[in-house]
Amino acid sequence: MTETRTTAAHGGAIGMHGIKKWFGNFQAVDDVTLDIRSNEFFTLLGPSGCGKTTLLRMIAGFELPTEGQVLLDGVDISSLLPNQRPVNTVFQNYALFPHLTVAENIGFGLKMLGKPRSEIDSVVKDMLKLVHLEGRGGNPVTQLSGGQQQRVALARALAPRPKVLLLDEPLSALDLKLRKSMQMELKRLQTETGITFVFVTHDQEEALTMSDRIAVMSTGTVRQVGSPWDIYDRPAERFVADFIGETNFLEAEVVAVSGDRARVRLSSGAEIPATFPADVTPGGKVTVVIRPEHAQVGTPSPASVLRGIIREIVYLGTDTHFHIRLEDGTTFTVRQQNARSGSCGFSKDDAVGISLSDDVAQILRD
């Protein structure tokens, strides 16, 4: 698991215990228990309709749980109104005031809290520096680019120094290059402020890039919580493996088990080692997951674990994807980094062999 920072003194540890949420006859959240550590970047990741935004809104106070408790630093805040919680939210549409300047937008929350003008001016100056908008305080927000407006929204939310900052897919409206730049900006801001960030997204790459830990959600439940490495390289179940990145699933039979390792026989007859998250027994039928970048394509040989015919070759600049139809009819994808020569050495309909490194295969729970 990824270590979290402990140097900041803001607090912000969140507990969600036995949370259920019903909207009429529809259950949006089903018995979720989560502990979000103080001062970490925590992401709720999942497909549309999985309940992640509903969870975020219950932390903010915009929705109340049907059952369960929301705790902040050990205190039950489930019944508090949004303005009674030391929590701020950044939304998809930024929600800036177009008739105000950048500085007036950033200082708006502090003004509503009755802070003296000298304190507002000082904090606004610090926030402008933090989000790299020095010298733009007097500009109308309508003159800013989408990325700059996003930074103003972040500065406004951070200005009152909340214990927790909630971010509801705030980068979804940005183009790809700007989104990647803002991902780094968000991580930097979280590191420099030491505030607990809770981020909602359906973008797997976004979650892997920024998060200390990720909760993968589906149909109102949390399927796995872990560091980006845990989630990607050690998925706990098939849904997580399938949702996070591209992957290959192979049917296999367990040949032998020793400790946390098993030996499995693939349909090709080849036997490979595999790790597993749950008890398996020799003779059992299992599903094995292998990431495309953990396999290598080459000329067929006796050492090939799998064999097949290349059906598609997709060039993606940094790497090439080979979509291969195996002898048993299964489709298998291999991703290889491109060489400077610009040629992958293979063509569509070529017969190829696939080799695997040790410890790349994992048995999954269904």
Side-chain angles (χ1 to χ4, degrees), residues 44-57:
L44 299 170
L45 172 67
S48 298
C50 70
K52 56 189 185 294
T53 294
T54 301
L55 274 183
L56 195 81
R57 289 175 62 82

Side-chain angles (χ1 to χ4, degrees), residues 36-54:
I36 300 172
R37 300 167 187 164
S38 181
N39 312 326
E40 77 172 335
F41 198 121
F42 190 91
T43 296
L44 299 170
L45 172 67
S48 298
C50 70
K52 56 189 185 294
T53 294
T54 301

Side-chain angles (χ1 to χ4, degrees), residues 299 310 313 322 341-347 350:
T299 303
I310 295 177
I313 299 176
F322 299 90
S341 65
S343 172
C344 68
F346 296 97
S347 301
D350 280 353

